[in-house]
Amino acid sequence: MLSRFSRDTKGSVTVEAVIILPLLVWWFVASYAYFDAFNERNVNLKAAYALSDLLSREMGTVDADYMEGLDDVFQYMTGSSDGDSYIRVSLLRCSANCGADDTGRVLFADWSYATGAIEGYSTDTNDSDNLESRVGDQIPIMPAGDRVIVVETFMDYESPFTGGLSDRVYDNFIVTRPRFVPKLDWDDGGTS
């Protein structure tokens, strides 16, 4: 009787399905969650490069309305809402110790504007050490007096499923030189 029971294969497909089905469902859900996370990261990065490219081609002045418009473009490109994404755009220049072998590089922010939950960098010339410590390792070597446009984007990401991935903030730091003008001027709305 025991020998006959061990050779009997009735119901084995059902048992195997019960054992493997939870694993297949978990694999499907995890695959979707990871694909969604990488897709959102990729969309965020492409949107950041698009903003940086727009600014690098600008030949006039930019102002707060222009930056708020860029924030709207970023939200549209990433499919995020107003409270879930924000940008910071800054024009930085190196004023001393700018060479590859120099230490103690001096960076200044000519202007900086941020939307949402962050603040722009200080334009105080006494705040150079703070700026160098915050972003200096991400700014390439450049000649003294040269300027770069720094576009930083931030987007809150919530995983569609709780399991394996936690909520996070996708951030990007893009450095671009102005293409057609030596610097991108800021219009604060005042008369000068």
Side-chain angles (χ1 to χ4, degrees), residues 146-164:
D146 200 12
R147 290 173 169 84
V148 291
I149 301 166
V150 175
V151 175
E152 296 170 83
T153 62
F154 307 88
M155 185 178 79
D156 295 334
Y157 173 74
E158 293 181 17
S159 178
F161 300 103
T162 57

Side-chain angles (χ1 to χ4, degrees), residues 55-56 89-91 147-151 174-178 184:
L55 284 164
S56 73
V89 179
S90 307
L91 184 71
R147 290 173 169 84
V148 291
I149 301 166
V150 175
V151 175
I174 313 295
V175 179
T176 310
R177 290 189 69 227
L184 189 59

